[in-house]
């Protein structure tokens, strides 16, 4: 299981799934800070994405971001240097994003992925260690733009 601080955020279209995932993480004994949104009222996903990314970078932790599709959240998160956000719709995405890409943020789409599958994706993300080795070189190259 990954160790450290966890931060979670969503917009209105990811509100239900965000709350469900947060409760599950707490039941697994993880410390998770909810960066909003705190109501189902319409809001703008970049605000929560920026908040979660800033905390993940400052505390060297991990994040979970949920919107309707997961696309807006992942696009926003990946603009932060040092953030490697993975939009996952399959358990294999989650495993590979950790093992090969050392992803530090998991993005999910509430309108795309059913709650139970989202839980399994989250669990795979949290349980998969980064493999290092040849992947270190590739992650370094990722930063060279
Ligand atoms: C909100 O309607 C929706 O656009 C947003 O949650 C997300 O899917 C954007 O990428």
């Amino acid at each position: 299981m990954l160790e450290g601080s966890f931060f979670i955020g969503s917009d209105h279209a990811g509100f239900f799934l965000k709350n469900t995932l947060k409760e599950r993480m707490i039941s697994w004994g993880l410390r998770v800070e909810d960066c909003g949104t705190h109501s189902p009222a319409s809001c703008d996903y970049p605000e929560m994405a920026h908040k979660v990314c800033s905390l993940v970078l400052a505390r060297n932790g991990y994040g979970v971001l949920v919107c309707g599709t997961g696309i807006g959240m992942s696009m926003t998160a990946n603009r932060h240097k040092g953030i490697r956000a993975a939009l996952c719709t399959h358990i294999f995405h989650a495993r590979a994003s950790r093992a090969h890409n050392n992803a530090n943020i998991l993005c999910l789409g509430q309108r795309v992925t059913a709650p139970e599958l989202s839980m399994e994706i989250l669990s795979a993300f949290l349980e998969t260690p980064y493999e290092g080795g040849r992947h270190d070189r590739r992650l370094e190259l990722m930063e060279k733009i």
Side-chain angles (χ1 to χ4, degrees):
M1 183 73 90
L2 292 179
E3 285 177 10
S5 304
F6 294 88
F7 304 93
I8 194 164
S10 76
D11 67 355
H12 56 288
F15 181 63
F16 169 78
L17 183 58
K18 183 261 290 174
N19 290 339
T20 311
L21 295 171
K22 181 179 79 174
E23 291 314 316
R24 190 65 66 97
M25 290 170 84
I26 290 168
S27 80
W28 290 335
L30 300 173
R31 285 190 318 275
V32 48
E33 190 173 318
D34 188 343
C35 300
T37 186
H38 299 291
S39 91
S42 182
C43 62
D44 300 321
Y45 59 81
E47 288 180 13
M48 281 58 72
H50 290 318
K51 211 180 279 182
V52 166
C53 289
S54 302
L55 286 162
V56 166
L57 290 168
R59 312 248 187 101
N60 197 24
Y62 297 92
V64 179
L65 287 169
V66 191
C67 62
T69 58
I71 293 173
M73 285 297 197
S74 57
M75 285 180 169
T76 309
N78 280 315
R79 298 178 70 97
H80 289 252
K81 192 173 168 57
I83 291 294
R84 292 173 301 280
L87 171 55
C88 298
T89 56
H90 194 288
I91 292 168
F92 183 73
H93 280 146
R95 287 207 190 105
S97 77
R98 288 286 314 128
H100 290 198
N101 313 114
N102 199 14
N104 50 9
I105 297 216
L106 168 66
C107 297
L108 291 160
Q110 180 181 296
R111 294 173 178 162
V112 179
T113 309
E116 269 318 307
L117 178 55
S118 295
M119 296 299 163
E120 290 177 44
I121 289 171
L122 173 64
S123 169
F125 186 89
L126 296 174
E127 281 167 11
T128 308
Y130 174 51
E131 284 176 8
R134 68 190 186 281
H135 302 297
D136 283 343
R137 184 178 67 250
R138 294 163 187 169
L139 296 190
E140 278 164 29
L141 285 169
M142 215 185 257
E143 302 296 329
K144 290 192 176 156
I145 50 166

